[in-house]
Amino acid sequence: MVYATEDFESMESGLVGDDSHIKDEQHDMAPIFHQDKSAHGNNDDSNEDDSGDEGDRAVGGSVRGSPQQQQSTWGNEWTVRKAAANALDNIANALHDDILPILLPLIEKGLTSTSDWREQEASVLAVGAIAHGCENGLSKDMNTLLPLLIQTTLSNQPLLRSIGCWTLGRFGRWLSSRDDTTLLKASTTAILERCVDKNKRVQEAAISALAGLIEESGNRMRYDNELLDRIIKVFNICIRL
């Protein structure tokens, strides 16, 4: 699941540090429509809305739709990396928490890696891939795991920031079920900051993740004036941009 050379070759602008000043083309603003879940031969309902884009972007960042819609941070081609992430998602939905004793030590090692950001990014992707299938088993580790994910949204690597947002968005259901909203606020705040990122693809991932969080946790957010004020403030900044 670590990025390979061919993954980078298929990317349009995911590695650009700052491209928010570049004027958007018409296809950059085209709406994304729901596509048949059988794309790439996958008929598993578990992959619907796996990245907050209502099924248009599956686990691993594959974008389904027309070429104009397929301008993805993660690249436009179906790669081994994406297939591996999609397979891990399916395994998690089939075996649930039974896979955690094998996966968690590997994920923890990758998340704390400082030698190669690509290993860290792959671990964040793995967490997102198993977020739904292993939700119960991961619950006891959330107080440690979510702060690590939030930290990745501050990386100097756009691809790590974007996958961090995507993965945080995958935990919207769990965050909305907690009585304590501390982690919900922290996750939402981290995503909001990336909505005005200097990289367009990070912005895209953050807005998608925010939409997922609002869909899952909107009833909790509506009574939190501080959080609502932050959301409105960011929306106003985005409109001015």
Side-chain angles (χ1 to χ4, degrees):
M1 288 168 58
V2 177
Y3 274 117
T5 302
E6 54 267 27
D7 293 306
F8 295 127
E9 290 174 349
S10 69
M11 293 177 188
E12 184 177 82
S13 63
L15 294 178
V16 176
D18 181 359
D19 64 352
S20 62
H21 62 284
I22 300 174
K23 184 178 180 180
D24 290 322
E25 300 293 338
Q26 186 173 356
H27 66 76
D28 292 326
M29 297 177 283
I32 297 176
F33 300 100
H34 181 81
Q35 299 293 321
D36 191 335
K37 289 177 290 184
S38 63
H40 303 305
N42 182 5
N43 294 310
D44 190 343
D45 287 348
S46 66
N47 284 327
E48 183 177 4
D49 196 22
D50 273 338
S51 68
D53 282 353
E54 298 181 355
D56 293 296
R57 181 168 295 137
V59 164
S62 63
V63 176
R64 303 164 187 168
S66 68
Q68 288 76 19
Q69 294 167 353
Q70 294 178 353
Q71 306 301 326
S72 170
T73 300
W74 296 274
N76 306 329
E77 304 297 329
W78 184 246
T79 65
V80 173
R81 173 183 181 274
K82 295 172 185 177
N86 196 57
L88 184 58
D89 173 58
N90 289 330
I91 291 171
N93 279 291
L95 301 180
H96 303 292
D97 299 341
D98 290 343
I99 66 174
L100 291 180
I102 300 172
L103 279 180
L104 283 182
L106 299 174
I107 289 174
E108 182 179 359
K109 180 181 178 181
L111 283 177
T112 56
S113 173
T114 57
S115 60
D116 190 344
W117 69 267
R118 293 176 299 178
E119 291 185 9
Q120 190 176 18
E121 193 276 345
S123 296
V124 177
L125 172 59
V127 173
I130 66 174
H132 293 171
C134 300
E135 184 177 284
N136 290 335
L138 290 173
S139 182
K140 65 180 184 299
D141 298 310
M142 287 297 192
N143 287 331
T144 301
L145 182 59
L146 284 178
L148 288 174
L149 294 176
I150 289 172
Q151 189 64 31
T152 65
T153 67
L154 302 175
S155 169
N156 61 358
Q157 295 290 341
L159 291 172
L160 188 49
R161 297 200 301 273
S162 61
I163 201 68
C165 290
W166 175 80
T167 300
L168 285 173
R170 295 270 287 172
F171 287 104
R173 181 173 61 191
W174 184 88
L175 289 167
S176 68
S177 67
R178 302 298 98 183
D179 292 331
D180 185 351
T181 60
T182 301
L183 289 175
L184 173 61
K185 290 181 180 179
S187 299
T188 305
T189 299
I191 290 171
L192 284 170
E193 290 175 355
R194 299 282 66 80
C195 287
V196 290
D197 196 90
K198 297 298 185 181
N199 182 279
K200 291 182 181 181
R201 301 311 174 194
V202 176
Q203 293 175 5
E204 179 185 358
I207 291 171
S208 177
L210 180 61
L213 280 183
I214 291 175
E215 182 176 357
E216 293 283 1
S217 309
N219 288 334
R220 305 295 300 276
M221 293 181 181
R222 72 172 66 181
Y223 300 111
D224 191 320
N225 291 331
E226 181 183 357
L227 195 54
L228 288 176
D229 286 343
R230 291 177 184 173
I231 294 174
I232 293 171
K233 181 179 179 180
V234 168
F235 281 178
N236 286 334
I237 294 173
C238 291
I239 292 172
R240 288 199 298 271
L241 291 176

